[in-house]
Amino acid sequence: MRINVARSQVPVGESWAQAADRLAGRRGPVLAVDLSGDPLRFCVDDEHRLALRPMTGGDLPDVVRWVNMPHVAPWWDEHRSAEQVAAQYTPGIRGEDAVRYWIWEVNGRSVGFCQDYRIADHPGFALLCGHPDAIGFDYLIGEPAFVGRGLGTRLLWVFLRDIVVPAYAPVSELFAAPDHRNTRSLRVLAKLGATEGLWFTEPQSDGSVHTVVGCSIDVATVMRAPSPRPLA
């Protein structure tokens, strides 16, 4: 089921997501399809069961495989070996790191992962965001069969609207910074209603630098969360 919302149909004080939920009636909550234009395009997806769960140690072999996939590796080159992946993610899995890690599932199959964190914990990023309370996020679909099907947009929507924003309320901005050459990722963010901001260089573990694009989602405009819940 598709729901198209003309921007003129969204009254003052209502977010795009709330307007789409209202127009969808009992079929909502809706998922973002493409919020970069007018009308805003949403859907109700009855074909895919989208879910997130906290990452566990048992997921690390999948994470190793995913970050080394040809469609991922050029953009996710901080950690390659099993030992490096374990060193990066195990503290967060144990609750010893402020970054939270999640596994994406589609119809019960693990297909990728995402993470969220407070930008204020990373002073370099904090200077590039419009709001000091911004929440950063990163993401990837590792299973090649699930790439290019529009699922990344829908999975990120569920993650951001239903997991991240309620947990960090009252957050006003969500922030991601993909490589400027990663057109697929930039397009996904645009479809989620993000706007591009500053380009800046990001140091890599091998001493090189990447030029990335700061992309921000205004929470009140795009998705205003349901009632807040505490951090897990």
Coordinates of all heavy atoms in Angstrom, one line a residue, residues 156-214:
L156 N 16.2 1.6 7.9 CA 16.6 2.8 8.7 C 15.5 3.6 9.3 O 15.6 4.2 10.4 CB 17.4 3.7 7.7 CG 18.9 3.5 7.7 CD1 19.6 4.3 6.6 CD2 19.6 3.8 9.0
W157 N 14.4 3.7 8.6 CA 13.2 4.4 9.1 C 12.7 3.8 10.4 O 12.5 4.5 11.4 CB 12.1 4.4 8.0 CG 10.9 5.1 8.5 CD1 9.7 4.5 9.0 CD2 10.6 6.5 8.5 NE1 8.8 5.5 9.2 CE2 9.3 6.7 9.0 CE3 11.4 7.6 8.1 CZ2 8.8 8.0 9.1 CZ3 10.9 8.9 8.2 CH2 9.6 9.1 8.7
V158 N 12.6 2.4 10.4 CA 12.2 1.7 11.6 C 13.2 2.0 12.7 O 12.8 2.3 13.9 CB 12.0 0.2 11.4 CG1 11.8 -0.5 12.7 CG2 10.9 0.0 10.4
F159 N 14.5 1.9 12.4 CA 15.5 2.1 13.4 C 15.5 3.5 14.0 O 15.5 3.7 15.2 CB 16.9 1.9 12.7 CG 18.1 2.2 13.5 CD1 18.3 1.7 14.8 CD2 19.1 3.0 13.0 CE1 19.4 2.0 15.6 CE2 20.2 3.3 13.7 CZ 20.4 2.8 15.0
L160 N 15.4 4.5 13.1 CA 15.5 5.9 13.6 C 14.2 6.3 14.3 O 14.2 6.9 15.4 CB 15.8 6.8 12.4 CG 17.2 6.6 11.8 CD1 17.3 7.5 10.5 CD2 18.3 6.9 12.7
R161 N 13.1 6.1 13.7 CA 11.8 6.6 14.2 C 11.4 5.8 15.5 O 10.9 6.4 16.4 CB 10.7 6.5 13.2 CG 9.4 7.1 13.7 CD 8.2 6.9 12.7 NE 7.0 7.6 13.2 CZ 5.8 7.5 12.7 NH1 5.6 6.6 11.7 NH2 4.8 8.1 13.2
D162 N 11.6 4.5 15.5 CA 11.0 3.6 16.5 C 12.0 3.3 17.6 O 11.6 2.9 18.7 CB 10.4 2.4 15.9 CG 9.2 2.7 15.0 OD1 8.7 3.8 15.1 OD2 8.9 1.8 14.1
I163 N 13.3 3.3 17.3 CA 14.3 2.9 18.3 C 15.1 4.1 18.8 O 15.2 4.4 20.0 CB 15.3 1.9 17.7 CG1 14.5 0.6 17.2 CG2 16.4 1.5 18.7 CD1 13.9 -0.2 18.4
V164 N 15.7 4.9 17.8 CA 16.7 5.9 18.2 C 16.0 7.1 18.8 O 16.3 7.6 19.9 CB 17.5 6.3 17.0 CG1 18.4 7.5 17.4 CG2 18.4 5.1 16.6
V165 N 15.0 7.7 18.1 CA 14.4 9.0 18.6 C 13.8 8.8 19.9 O 14.0 9.6 20.8 CB 13.5 9.5 17.5 CG1 12.7 10.7 18.0 CG2 14.3 10.0 16.3
P166 N 12.9 7.8 20.1 CA 12.3 7.7 21.5 C 13.4 7.5 22.6 O 13.2 8.0 23.7 CB 11.4 6.4 21.3 CG 11.2 6.3 19.9 CD 12.4 6.8 19.2
A167 N 14.5 6.8 22.3 CA 15.5 6.5 23.3 C 16.2 7.7 23.8 O 16.6 7.8 24.9 CB 16.4 5.4 22.8
Y168 N 16.4 8.7 22.9 CA 17.2 9.9 23.2 C 16.4 11.1 23.3 O 16.9 12.2 23.3 CB 18.2 10.1 22.1 CG 19.3 9.0 22.0 CD1 19.2 8.0 21.1 CD2 20.5 9.1 22.8 CE1 20.2 7.0 21.0 CE2 21.5 8.2 22.7 CZ 21.3 7.1 21.8 OH 22.3 6.2 21.7
A169 N 15.1 11.0 23.4 CA 14.2 12.2 23.5 C 14.7 13.1 24.6 O 15.1 12.6 25.7 CB 12.8 11.8 23.8
P170 N 14.7 14.4 24.4 CA 14.1 15.1 23.2 C 15.2 15.5 22.2 O 15.6 16.6 22.1 CB 13.6 16.4 23.9 CG 14.5 16.7 25.0 CD 15.1 15.4 25.5
V171 N 15.6 14.5 21.4 CA 16.6 14.8 20.3 C 15.9 15.6 19.2 O 14.7 15.4 18.9 CB 17.2 13.5 19.8 CG1 16.1 12.6 19.2 CG2 18.2 13.7 18.7
S172 N 16.6 16.5 18.6 CA 16.1 17.3 17.5 C 16.7 17.0 16.2 O 16.1 17.4 15.2 CB 16.3 18.8 17.9 OG 17.6 19.1 18.0
E173 N 17.9 16.4 16.2 CA 18.6 16.2 14.9 C 19.3 14.8 14.9 O 19.9 14.4 15.9 CB 19.7 17.3 14.7 CG 20.5 17.1 13.4 CD 21.5 18.2 13.2 OE1 21.2 19.4 13.6 OE2 22.6 18.0 12.7
L174 N 19.2 14.1 13.8 CA 19.9 12.9 13.5 C 21.0 13.2 12.5 O 20.7 13.9 11.6 CB 19.0 11.8 13.1 CG 17.7 11.5 14.0 CD1 16.8 10.6 13.3 CD2 18.2 10.9 15.3
F175 N 22.2 12.5 12.7 CA 23.3 12.9 11.9 C 24.1 11.7 11.4 O 24.4 10.8 12.1 CB 24.2 13.8 12.7 CG 25.4 14.3 12.0 CD1 25.3 15.5 11.2 CD2 26.7 13.8 12.1 CE1 26.4 16.0 10.5 CE2 27.8 14.3 11.4 CZ 27.6 15.4 10.6
A176 N 24.4 11.7 10.1 CA 25.2 10.7 9.5 C 26.2 11.3 8.5 O 25.9 12.4 8.0 CB 24.4 9.6 8.7
A177 N 27.3 10.7 8.3 CA 28.3 11.4 7.4 C 29.0 10.3 6.5 O 30.1 9.9 6.7 CB 29.4 12.0 8.3
P178 N 28.3 9.9 5.4 CA 28.9 9.0 4.5 C 29.9 9.6 3.6 O 30.0 10.8 3.4 CB 27.7 8.5 3.6 CG 26.7 9.7 3.7 CD 26.9 10.3 5.1
D179 N 30.8 8.8 3.0 CA 31.8 9.2 2.1 C 31.1 9.9 0.9 O 30.0 9.5 0.4 CB 32.6 8.0 1.6 CG 33.8 8.4 0.8 OD1 33.7 8.9 -0.4 OD2 34.9 8.3 1.3
H180 N 31.7 11.0 0.4 CA 31.1 11.8 -0.7 C 30.9 11.0 -2.0 O 30.1 11.3 -2.8 CB 31.9 13.1 -0.9 CG 33.2 12.9 -1.7 ND1 34.3 12.3 -1.1 CD2 33.5 13.1 -2.9 CE1 35.3 12.2 -1.9 NE2 34.8 12.7 -3.1
R181 N 31.7 9.9 -2.1 CA 31.6 9.0 -3.3 C 30.5 8.0 -3.1 O 30.2 7.3 -4.1 CB 32.9 8.4 -3.6 CG 34.1 9.4 -3.9 CD 35.4 8.7 -3.7 NE 35.6 8.2 -2.3 CZ 36.7 7.6 -1.9 NH1 37.7 7.3 -2.8 NH2 36.8 7.2 -0.7
N182 N 30.0 7.8 -2.0 CA 29.0 6.7 -1.7 C 27.6 7.2 -2.1 O 26.8 7.6 -1.2 CB 29.1 6.3 -0.2 CG 28.3 5.1 0.1 OD1 27.6 4.6 -0.8 ND2 28.5 4.5 1.2
T183 N 27.4 7.3 -3.3 CA 26.1 7.8 -3.8 C 24.9 7.0 -3.4 O 23.8 7.6 -3.2 CB 26.1 7.9 -5.4 OG1 26.4 6.6 -5.9 CG2 27.2 8.9 -5.8
R184 N 25.1 5.7 -3.2 CA 23.9 4.9 -2.7 C 23.5 5.3 -1.3 O 22.3 5.5 -1.1 CB 24.3 3.4 -2.8 CG 23.2 2.5 -2.4 CD 23.6 1.1 -2.2 NE 24.3 0.5 -3.4 CZ 23.6 -0.1 -4.3 NH1 22.3 -0.3 -4.3 NH2 24.3 -0.6 -5.4
S185 N 24.5 5.5 -0.4 CA 24.2 5.9 0.9 C 23.6 7.3 1.0 O 22.6 7.6 1.7 CB 25.4 5.8 1.8 OG 25.1 6.0 3.2
L186 N 24.1 8.2 0.2 CA 23.6 9.6 0.2 C 22.2 9.6 -0.3 O 21.3 10.4 0.2 CB 24.5 10.5 -0.7 CG 25.9 10.8 -0.1 CD1 26.8 11.4 -1.1 CD2 25.7 11.7 1.1
R187 N 21.9 8.7 -1.3 CA 20.5 8.7 -1.8 C 19.5 8.1 -0.8 O 18.4 8.6 -0.6 CB 20.5 7.8 -3.1 CG 19.1 7.7 -3.7 CD 18.5 9.0 -4.0 NE 17.1 8.8 -4.5 CZ 16.1 9.7 -4.4 NH1 16.4 10.9 -3.7 NH2 14.9 9.5 -4.9
V188 N 20.0 7.1 0.0 CA 19.1 6.6 1.0 C 18.8 7.7 2.1 O 17.6 7.8 2.5 CB 19.8 5.4 1.7 CG1 19.1 5.0 3.0 CG2 19.8 4.2 0.8
L189 N 19.8 8.4 2.5 CA 19.6 9.5 3.4 C 18.6 10.6 2.9 O 17.8 11.1 3.6 CB 20.9 10.1 3.8 CG 21.8 9.2 4.7 CD1 23.2 9.9 4.8 CD2 21.2 9.0 6.0
A190 N 18.8 10.9 1.6 CA 17.8 11.9 1.0 C 16.4 11.3 1.0 O 15.5 12.1 1.3 CB 18.3 12.2 -0.4
K191 N 16.3 10.1 0.8 CA 14.9 9.4 0.8 C 14.3 9.4 2.2 O 13.1 9.3 2.4 CB 15.0 8.0 0.2 CG 15.2 8.0 -1.3 CD 15.7 6.7 -1.8 CE 14.7 5.6 -1.7 NZ 15.2 4.3 -2.3
L192 N 15.2 9.6 3.2 CA 14.7 9.6 4.6 C 14.4 11.1 5.0 O 14.1 11.3 6.2 CB 15.7 9.0 5.5 CG 15.8 7.5 5.5 CD1 17.1 7.0 6.2 CD2 14.6 6.8 6.1
G193 N 14.6 12.0 4.1 CA 14.3 13.4 4.5 C 15.5 14.2 5.0 O 15.4 15.3 5.5
A194 N 16.7 13.6 4.8 CA 17.9 14.3 5.3 C 18.3 15.4 4.3 O 18.1 15.4 3.1 CB 19.1 13.3 5.4
T195 N 19.0 16.4 4.8 CA 19.6 17.5 4.0 C 21.1 17.4 4.2 O 21.6 17.1 5.3 CB 19.1 18.8 4.5 OG1 19.3 19.0 5.9 CG2 17.6 18.9 4.3
E196 N 21.8 17.7 3.1 CA 23.3 17.7 3.1 C 23.8 19.0 3.6 O 23.3 20.1 3.3 CB 23.8 17.4 1.7 CG 23.5 16.0 1.2 CD 24.2 15.7 -0.2 OE1 25.1 16.5 -0.5 OE2 23.8 14.7 -0.8
G197 N 24.9 18.9 4.4 CA 25.5 20.1 5.0 C 27.0 20.1 4.6 O 27.3 20.0 3.5
L198 N 27.8 20.3 5.6 CA 29.2 20.5 5.4 C 29.9 19.2 4.9 O 29.5 18.1 5.3 CB 29.9 20.9 6.7 CG 29.5 22.3 7.3 CD1 30.2 22.5 8.6 CD2 30.0 23.4 6.3
W199 N 30.9 19.4 4.0 CA 31.8 18.4 3.6 C 33.0 18.5 4.5 O 33.5 19.7 4.7 CB 32.2 18.5 2.2 CG 31.1 18.2 1.2 CD1 29.8 18.5 1.3 CD2 31.3 17.5 -0.1 NE1 29.1 18.0 0.2 CE2 30.0 17.4 -0.7 CE3 32.4 17.0 -0.7 CZ2 29.8 16.8 -1.9 CZ3 32.2 16.4 -2.0 CH2 30.9 16.3 -2.6
F200 N 33.6 17.4 5.0 CA 34.8 17.5 5.9 C 35.6 16.3 5.7 O 35.1 15.2 5.2 CB 34.4 17.8 7.3 CG 33.5 16.8 8.0 CD1 34.0 15.8 8.8 CD2 32.1 16.9 7.8 CE1 33.2 14.8 9.3 CE2 31.3 15.9 8.4 CZ 31.8 14.9 9.2
T201 N 36.8 16.3 6.2 CA 37.7 15.2 6.1 C 37.7 14.4 7.4 O 37.6 15.0 8.5 CB 39.1 15.6 5.8 OG1 39.6 16.5 6.8 CG2 39.2 16.2 4.4
E202 N 37.7 13.1 7.3 CA 37.6 12.2 8.5 C 38.8 11.3 8.5 O 39.0 10.5 7.5 CB 36.3 11.4 8.4 CG 36.1 10.5 9.6 CD 34.8 9.8 9.5 OE1 34.6 9.0 8.6 OE2 33.9 10.0 10.3
P203 N 39.7 11.4 9.5 CA 40.9 10.5 9.5 C 40.5 9.1 9.6 O 39.6 8.7 10.3 CB 41.6 11.0 10.8 CG 41.0 12.3 11.1 CD 39.6 12.3 10.6
Q204 N 41.3 8.2 8.9 CA 41.1 6.8 8.9 C 42.2 6.1 9.8 O 43.3 6.7 10.0 CB 41.1 6.2 7.5 CG 40.1 6.9 6.6 CD 38.6 6.7 7.1 OE1 38.2 5.6 7.3 NE2 38.0 7.8 7.3
S205 N 42.0 4.8 10.1 CA 42.9 4.1 11.0 C 44.3 3.9 10.3 O 45.3 3.7 11.0 CB 42.3 2.8 11.4 OG 42.0 2.0 10.3
D206 N 44.3 3.9 9.0 CA 45.5 3.7 8.2 C 46.3 5.0 8.0 O 47.3 5.0 7.3 CB 45.3 3.0 6.9 CG 44.4 3.8 6.0 OD1 44.0 4.9 6.3 OD2 44.1 3.2 4.9
G207 N 45.8 6.1 8.5 CA 46.5 7.4 8.3 C 46.0 8.2 7.2 O 46.3 9.4 7.1
S208 N 45.1 7.6 6.3 CA 44.5 8.4 5.2 C 43.3 9.2 5.7 O 43.0 9.1 6.9 CB 44.1 7.4 4.1 OG 43.1 6.6 4.6
V209 N 42.8 10.0 4.9 CA 41.5 10.7 5.2 C 40.5 10.5 4.1 O 40.8 10.3 2.9 CB 41.8 12.2 5.4 CG1 42.7 12.5 6.6 CG2 42.4 12.8 4.1
H210 N 39.2 10.5 4.5 CA 38.1 10.4 3.6 C 37.3 11.7 3.7 O 37.2 12.3 4.7 CB 37.2 9.3 3.9 CG 37.8 7.9 3.5 ND1 37.1 6.8 3.8 CD2 39.0 7.6 2.9 CE1 37.8 5.7 3.3 NE2 39.0 6.2 2.8
T211 N 36.8 12.2 2.5 CA 35.9 13.3 2.5 C 34.5 12.8 2.7 O 34.0 12.1 1.8 CB 36.1 14.2 1.2 OG1 37.4 14.6 1.1 CG2 35.2 15.4 1.2
V212 N 33.8 13.3 3.7 CA 32.5 12.8 4.0 C 31.5 14.0 4.0 O 31.9 15.2 4.1 CB 32.4 12.1 5.3 CG1 33.3 10.8 5.3 CG2 32.8 13.0 6.5
V213 N 30.2 13.7 3.9 CA 29.2 14.7 3.8 C 28.3 14.6 5.0 O 27.7 13.6 5.2 CB 28.3 14.5 2.5 CG1 27.3 15.6 2.4 CG2 29.2 14.4 1.3
G214 N 28.2 15.7 5.8 CA 27.3 15.7 6.9 C 25.9 15.8 6.5 O 25.5 16.7 5.8

